Amino acid sequence: MNRRKFAECSQKKVRPVLTYSDETHHSSANTYQKIMQYFKPRLWLGMTATPDRRDDDAPERNIYEIFHHQIAYEIRLQQAMEEDLLCPFHYFGISDLSTIGDEGKDKGKLSPEDFRLLTSDERVRHIVEQAKYYGFSGDRVKGLIFCSRVEESRELSQKFNALGYRTIALNGDAQEEKRAEAFERLAMEEADATEEMQPLDYIFSVDILNEGVDIVEINQVIMLRPTQSPIVFIQQLGRGLRKATGKEYVVILDFIGNYTRNFMIPIALSGDRTYNADTIRKYVISGNNTIPGASTVHFDAVAKERIFHSIDKMRGLRAIVRESYRTLKDRLGRIPYLIDFYESGEVDPLVIIREYKTYPDFLLSVEPGQTAEALSDQEKLTLEYLSKTILSGVRPYELEMPKRLSQQETFTVEELSAELGEQYGEPVNRMSMESAASVLRGEFVSKEEERRKFEVIEILKADEEAGRFHRMKSYEARLGHPAFAAHVRDLVQVGLHRYQDIYGSASQKEGPFVLYEKYSRRDVCLLMNCGRDLSSTMYGMKRIGDDVFIFITYHKEATEDESRLYAEGKPDYADAFADNMTFLWDSQIGKGPDSSYMRDVTEAARKHLFVKKSDAETSFYYMGTFDIAQISAAKKKDNNGREKDITKVVMRMHHAVRDDLLNYLESNLITEEE
């Protein structure tokens, strides 16, 4: 509602049919509330580009609650680009100078020397060169440059002006008249210039341009500050997404330093809020594939590696989980479950469990004294074990069994196998069913200590002669506790959704594995019906029945001890793809072609290759099965300098490895010092 209509309604004391509020994420503020409490329209319509942003953390400031948790329409960046509502953008993640962007700057602690580096002539030249190289759409540049600090914006503006640019630093202390004049100068054409009013090439600012600014002519946005929040990133990128005559696209230049939160960049660009490390990596690998229309995303090699480095060492996840929980609770108007996180695209439930072990434990930390009735020790252990074993959803059987046990006391192996075979479109063998049952008996552990800890979960027991499974009485009693039963249903729902979305509908499957999806060694044990977790004994090679599994870390960590050749005793194996179809592998030191170790590899009917980029990753990409094309004997020195036998193997893959994944694995890792 504009000011004139507001005044008319106030004088006549009429009740408007519809009242709308723009930038409605501020609607909890006193200035907004005075208006909203004065008028009593039949409908309040709130509009904002950042509904999850609010001015403080007070629970009474819930924007969704003000609008009765009703979302009339929601559109995110991806969909808006797909529907051609915004101007296409070309994003370039560019490496900032190596001297910029350490943790001190990330936290706002800046020494005089650091400030000198931040505003150095060398850095200014670097920014100007890149801005010229990547260019803009239109006759002249009309750009915004976002800085970390007011002092930085002023100093950089002066240095740009000294190079012949027309710029101004505009920050919170600027009067409305000065802001309006700056916006007009940025938008104006050269032909409209006067002696009193000259065009601007750039406006430098910290944060006052994040919202409420509509300069449609902006054709270049430069980001010189670390991305701390996906919301703020999209607000700043969005300043250039307005369509305008003669503007075909906007160029976004993001100067990426060694920031601890670089992982926020692909999260913001992709719109993915799961904070799942593998999902973020996939986006960096092939960002263009997820941006609709003519827009593009490109990271230079160093910037890409800085992001990978940040992903590998993601910090502050507990704070992110809590923020995501608060947002989701605000939207729903109730305490959410894990399935709500999954279906809403919020933080991945696996991230929550990794941080807190169980969802009830998380709820106790974020809602002390307000969560459901207390769980017994046995109930807590049951949820901890199920969260650890079945939530990932790599196989549906361990999920379907507790789903049925919540409804019936007993079922036969044949009945369930037939139902699941029909439901999932693939045969189910008895061994897999029995393996799933052993998992639910608490047996899928790696140590005896763990087995004793979880044997009390008592979910089901098997009648092997009758081929039947029975629900145990103690589990039946626990299901009578509504809070416990709800959390079990929640885990089952999330696990089944993950299976269907990631593993169940995949077309490229080799046995139980899906090509190019990620699996832990523990997952391999589960899918191979090992009966227990053998991951602690699975190093570079593991033979399981007629299958052999090769686990490769593509980039080996260097040793800091000059007297040792290899970090942690791991040899510098020549493990690498020669091309998309050929992998070169060195056996373990001391294992020649005639060793039992190599016989396990050569004689296995099926040979599987799993690869991860670095030791920071806990899971491996499944690269598929292979044949051995060539074997040769060789020598390699161990850490004591003694030459030992090894075997060099040339593998021929059954499927050509995807180019984007191969490029990711082969890109060089940077070090923290760089």
Side-chain angles (χ1 to χ4, degrees):
M1 175 174 286
N2 61 36
R3 292 180 181 178
R4 183 174 60 81
K5 289 290 184 184
F6 176 80
E8 289 176 1
C9 290
S10 299
Q11 292 168 4
K12 298 177 182 178
K13 297 188 181 297
V14 299
R15 181 186 184 192
V17 174
L18 170 67
T19 303
Y20 76 88
S21 163
D22 195 13
E23 302 289 356
T24 202
H25 57 276
H26 293 306
S27 59
S28 63
N30 291 336
T31 50
Y32 275 69
Q33 282 299 301
K34 286 179 182 178
I35 298 173
M36 297 185 75
Q37 290 169 12
Y38 181 86
F39 289 106
K40 304 297 179 185
R42 296 177 188 174
L43 175 66
W44 269 108
L45 178 63
M47 293 180 288
T48 175
T50 53
D52 296 329
R53 186 181 181 189
R54 59 186 183 185
D55 296 330
D56 56 48
D57 294 328
E60 65 271 14
R61 302 291 193 176
N62 182 354
I63 307 306
Y64 293 96
E65 186 175 21
I66 292 173
F67 292 90
H68 308 291
H69 303 283
Q70 296 181 7
I71 301 174
Y73 185 69
E74 182 176 15
I75 185 169
R76 298 278 175 174
L77 175 64
Q78 302 288 318
Q79 187 182 349
M81 299 301 299
E82 190 171 356
E83 297 184 12
D84 196 28
L85 299 176
L86 300 172
C87 173
F89 68 88
H90 299 300
Y91 170 94
F92 299 95
I94 304 166
S95 54
D96 208 335
L97 298 183
S98 59
T99 53
I100 305 299
D102 61 22
E103 287 191 24
K105 298 179 188 64
D106 194 22
K107 295 175 182 176
K109 301 172 182 176
L110 201 66
S111 68
E113 176 62 19
D114 285 335
F115 181 76
R116 187 189 67 77
L117 293 172
L118 198 62
T119 57
S120 67
D121 292 341
E122 182 186 5
R123 190 186 188 215
V124 171
R125 282 195 301 271
H126 180 58
I127 297 166
V128 169
E129 286 171 2
Q130 299 302 317
K132 286 180 179 179
Y133 178 79
Y134 289 105
F136 49 86
S137 172
D139 296 329
R140 74 174 189 87
V141 66
K142 301 173 183 178
L144 298 180
I145 301 182
F146 291 98
C147 304
S148 300
R149 298 158 187 82
V150 171
E151 296 81 1
E152 177 192 0
S153 71
R154 292 170 178 162
E155 181 73 13
L156 290 177
S157 175
Q158 290 176 13
K159 293 203 170 187
F160 265 63
N161 292 342
L163 293 173
Y165 288 92
R166 298 163 298 186
T167 79
I168 187 174
L170 200 65
N171 290 293
D173 58 352
Q175 298 297 317
E176 283 296 328
E177 293 78 8
K178 184 177 180 181
R179 297 186 190 192
E181 179 184 305
F183 299 158
E184 184 178 350
R185 291 176 62 192
L186 187 69
M188 70 188 297
E189 298 301 329
E190 293 287 358
D192 299 325
T194 65
E195 289 187 12
E196 295 78 20
M197 180 81 78
Q198 291 289 319
L200 284 175
D201 299 314
Y202 291 104
I203 295 177
F204 286 80
S205 185
V206 176
D207 56 15
I208 68 166
L209 303 181
N210 291 1
E211 59 181 73
V213 176
D214 192 20
I215 311 172
V216 300
E217 294 84 359
I218 292 169
N219 54 20
Q220 191 183 79
V221 177
I222 298 178
M223 300 180 179
L224 301 179
R225 80 292 168 277
T227 296
Q228 300 282 13
S229 160
I231 292 175
V232 174
F233 180 97
I234 292 300
Q235 282 184 316
Q236 295 180 347
L237 179 148
R239 297 310 96 199
L241 297 183
R242 306 294 198 276
K243 289 188 171 185
T245 303
K247 173 182 163 184
E248 297 180 12
Y249 56 85
V250 61
V251 170
I252 313 294
L253 305 181
D254 193 359
F255 287 80
I256 300 172
N258 290 332
Y259 300 123
T260 57
R261 288 202 164 194
N262 278 336
F263 61 84
M264 292 285 189
I265 298 170
I267 287 171
L269 285 168
S270 67
D272 186 286
R273 305 185 300 276
T274 64
Y275 289 87
N276 180 293
D278 293 332
T279 303
I280 304 172
R281 288 189 190 97
K282 283 182 180 177
Y283 181 79
V284 179
I285 294 169
S286 55
N288 286 352
N289 296 335
T290 59
I291 292 288
S295 297
T296 59
V297 172
H298 174 79
F299 299 96
D300 72 27
V302 176
K304 187 181 292 186
E305 285 308 322
R306 285 174 174 167
I307 293 174
F308 288 145
H309 189 67
S310 171
I311 294 170
D312 290 342
K313 297 180 178 295
M314 271 201 286
R315 297 169 185 167
L317 282 178
R318 288 202 168 197
I320 290 169
V321 170
R322 294 168 76 92
E323 176 65 18
S324 179
Y325 170 84
R326 189 205 71 178
T327 297
L328 192 52
K329 183 184 176 185
D330 285 353
R331 284 190 185 187
L332 300 175
R334 61 170 172 80
I335 291 176
Y337 282 96
L338 289 174
I339 190 63
D340 295 312
F341 281 87
Y342 190 86
E343 291 181 337
S344 300
E346 289 293 335
V347 171
D348 187 343
L350 291 181
V351 173
I352 300 174
I353 295 305
R354 188 167 62 245
E355 293 293 319
Y356 290 92
K357 287 191 177 180
T358 73
Y359 192 56
D361 285 339
F362 165 70
L363 289 178
L364 284 173
S365 74
V366 76
E367 298 275 10
Q370 299 181 37
T371 50
E373 54 188 297
L375 299 170
S376 69
D377 290 343
Q378 189 182 29
E379 289 169 340
K380 291 177 183 177
L381 278 174
T382 305
L383 293 175
E384 180 184 340
Y385 179 77
L386 293 178
S387 299
K388 185 178 181 180
T389 53
I390 71 173
L391 186 64
S392 62
V394 294
R395 187 168 69 176
Y397 313 145
E398 291 84 359
L399 296 155
E400 291 288 354
M401 284 184 175
K403 181 179 176 181
R404 280 158 175 74
L405 288 173
S406 66
Q407 303 162 350
Q408 58 196 75
E409 293 182 12
T410 182
F411 53 82
T412 66
V413 176
E414 286 73 14
E415 290 170 350
L416 186 57
S417 297
E419 289 177 26
L420 297 186
E422 184 176 343
Q423 182 174 346
Y424 295 106
E426 55 187 51
V428 181
N429 60 56
R430 188 183 183 96
M431 182 181 295
S432 294
M433 295 300 297
E434 291 174 350
S435 170
S438 74
V439 170
L440 295 176
R441 288 196 295 269
E443 297 170 3
F444 195 71
V445 294
S446 59
K447 301 175 182 177
E448 178 62 20
E449 180 183 348
E450 273 190 301
R451 190 193 65 77
R452 289 196 300 270
K453 175 182 177 180
F454 291 119
E455 67 183 357
V456 299
I457 65 173
E458 296 181 344
I459 294 176
L460 58 70
K461 61 181 178 180
D463 183 345
E464 295 182 4
E465 290 185 6
R468 181 176 290 275
F469 296 117
H470 300 275
R471 181 175 66 196
M472 297 189 73
K473 292 296 182 183
S474 65
Y475 185 62
E476 182 176 344
R478 275 171 277 157
L479 290 175
H481 182 186
F484 172 78
H487 285 300
V488 171
R489 283 195 303 272
D490 190 32
L491 292 171
V492 169
Q493 276 187 290
V494 174
L496 288 174
H497 274 71
R498 286 183 58 84
Y499 176 77
Q500 292 286 16
D501 294 342
I502 302 173
Y503 307 103
S505 57
S507 57
Q508 289 186 299
K509 293 189 77 170
E510 294 196 349
F513 303 103
V514 179
L515 276 175
Y516 313 128
E517 291 299 337
K518 294 199 81 173
Y519 297 89
S520 65
R521 292 181 174 95
R522 200 169 192 272
D523 293 333
V524 173
C525 295
L526 182 70
L527 292 170
M528 293 305 296
N529 300 323
C530 291
R532 66 188 187 91
D533 179 7
L534 303 175
S535 58
S536 61
T537 65
M538 297 170 73
Y539 301 109
M541 184 278 291
K542 182 68 176 179
R543 176 78 178 263
I544 302 174
D546 290 332
D547 294 78
V548 70
F549 298 88
I550 307 296
F551 297 95
I552 301 295
T553 301
Y554 215 78
H555 290 263
K556 311 300 190 296
E557 290 186 357
T559 176
E560 297 179 359
D561 185 350
E562 294 183 1
S563 67
R564 296 172 64 82
L565 296 172
Y566 316 118
E568 298 178 2
K570 299 175 184 176
D572 182 19
Y573 296 119
D575 300 334
F577 281 100
D579 53 49
N580 295 62
M581 292 293 294
T582 309
F583 188 78
L584 309 178
W585 176 62
D586 283 2
S587 73
Q588 196 177 79
I589 280 187
K591 310 298 183 184
D594 297 326
S595 64
S596 60
Y597 176 97
M598 282 307 303
R599 285 198 298 274
D600 276 344
V601 176
T602 57
E603 294 173 4
R606 291 170 296 276
K607 304 173 181 65
H608 308 263
L609 179 63
F610 288 81
V611 179
K612 64 178 180 178
K613 180 169 182 173
S614 70
D615 285 328
E617 298 180 35
T618 57
S619 298
F620 297 78
Y621 289 99
Y622 179 60
M623 312 305 284
T625 51
F626 64 88
D627 293 323
I628 294 178
Q630 184 180 332
I631 288 180
S632 58
K635 298 283 187 180
K636 187 180 286 287
K637 290 181 179 180
D638 62 16
N639 265 325
N640 296 316
R642 295 175 297 194
E643 280 202 340
K644 294 287 187 71
D645 291 333
I646 65 163
T647 306
K648 286 189 170 291
V649 179
V650 178
M651 301 178 182
R652 188 71 176 170
M653 305 305 299
H654 290 172
H655 298 276
V657 176
R658 273 191 352 226
D659 286 337
D660 60 345
L661 183 53
L662 188 57
N663 290 338
Y664 164 66
L665 292 171
E666 292 184 339
S667 58
N668 293 325
L669 288 174
I670 62 173
T671 64
E672 281 189 80
E673 290 74 26
E674 292 175 324

